[in-house]
Amino acid sequence: MPLQNRVAPTGEIIADPGRGMLTGNRGCLHGTGRDLGVSRWRSKLWICCVLDWRGWRRDPMPPGRWTMLFFLDEATALAAGHRPCGYCRRADYLSYVEAWRAGHGLAARPRAVEMDAVLHGQRVDSRSRRQITRPARAGDLPAGVMVRVAGAAGLLVDGGTFRPWSFAGYGPPNPLAPDATVDLLTPP
C-alpha cells in the first residue's frame, strides 16, 4: 500500500505508488502509524529537493521528523506552493531568488524566510486550508504554470497549449484559447 505523500498541483497530498522527480516537505505531517493527520503543513517553509543528494537514504516518514513528499516535476511543486531548496538545488534556488527579486522590484536579494512568508499567504487560505487560486487570462500566462479549466485541475501551460497533468505524467497538448479565463494554481 503506497504512503500518502504524493502532491498534486492543487496541493493535495494523495496516496499513489509513483515517486516523481522531486521530493520536499512541509514539516512533520504523519503520526506513528505513518498516516497523515488533518494538518497539511507544520511550517511555512515548503521546499522541493532532488531525489538523490550525496547518496543519503532515509525513511520517508520517520517518527517525529518531517514527512517526505513527492512531486511529479518542478511545475507540480511550484503550483502546490513549494520553492527550490537552497542546499540540494542551489543553482535553481539562486535563479528563483533572482527572479523573485526582479519581479518584486527589490534592490537586495530576499531571504528565504521572507519569500516563504509571502508564498504562504499566496498558496493557502489559513481558515479554510484550501489552495488560493486566481482568475487569469490564458494568453497572459508563461509556460510552466499550472491552471484549472472548467473544473479540470492540473493543466500545464505549454506555449499556447495546455497539457493535462496526472501522477503518471502529462497528456498530449490541447489548444488553449488566449482569451480563455482560467484559474491559476501556481502562486504569482
Side-chain angles (χ1 to χ4, degrees):
M1 168 91 99
L3 296 172
Q4 185 182 359
N5 63 355
R6 280 297 294 276
V7 182
T10 57
E12 296 171 279
I13 305 173
I14 313 265
D16 189 90
R19 281 186 47 176
M21 295 171 50
L22 295 169
T23 185
N25 81 83
R26 301 176 184 175
C28 184
L29 308 178
H30 64 279
T32 55
R34 298 166 68 99
D35 294 323
L36 267 56
V38 294
S39 179
R40 291 299 176 255
W41 70 87
R42 297 276 184 199
S43 164
K44 292 180 182 178
L45 178 113
W46 293 17
I47 59 172
C48 57
C49 304
V50 295
L51 285 177
D52 184 25
W53 192 57
R54 297 184 177 181
W56 293 2
R57 297 275 185 231
R58 63 180 300 268
D59 181 342
M61 293 185 177
R65 303 294 308 263
W66 58 275
T67 303
M68 185 180 283
L69 303 174
F70 294 96
F71 307 95
L72 174 67
D73 59 6
E74 185 171 52
T76 305
L78 293 173
H82 292 250
R83 64 164 174 79
C85 174
Y87 293 103
C88 68
R89 298 186 61 211
R90 189 70 180 166
D92 293 330
Y93 172 77
L94 292 174
S95 293
Y96 185 89
V97 169
E98 179 52 30
W100 183 287
R101 187 201 62 72
H104 287 85
L106 303 174
R109 194 167 84 181
R111 297 179 329 146
V113 69
E114 296 164 341
M115 293 186 299
D116 290 336
V118 172
L119 267 173
H120 195 69
Q122 293 178 343
R123 64 183 163 222
V124 68
D125 179 279
S126 48
R127 286 188 197 168
S128 68
R129 298 187 164 260
R130 291 185 183 194
Q131 182 183 35
I132 296 172
T133 62
R134 292 150 190 83
R137 185 179 163 276
D140 295 338
L141 297 173
V145 300
M146 293 277 203
V147 299
R148 179 182 309 141
V149 177
L155 301 170
L156 177 71
V157 175
D158 186 16
T161 65
F162 66 87
R163 298 175 61 101
W165 178 95
S166 76
F167 285 113
Y170 294 97
N174 296 300
L176 183 61
D179 291 332
T181 299
V182 298
D183 288 325
L184 179 62
L185 300 177
T186 306

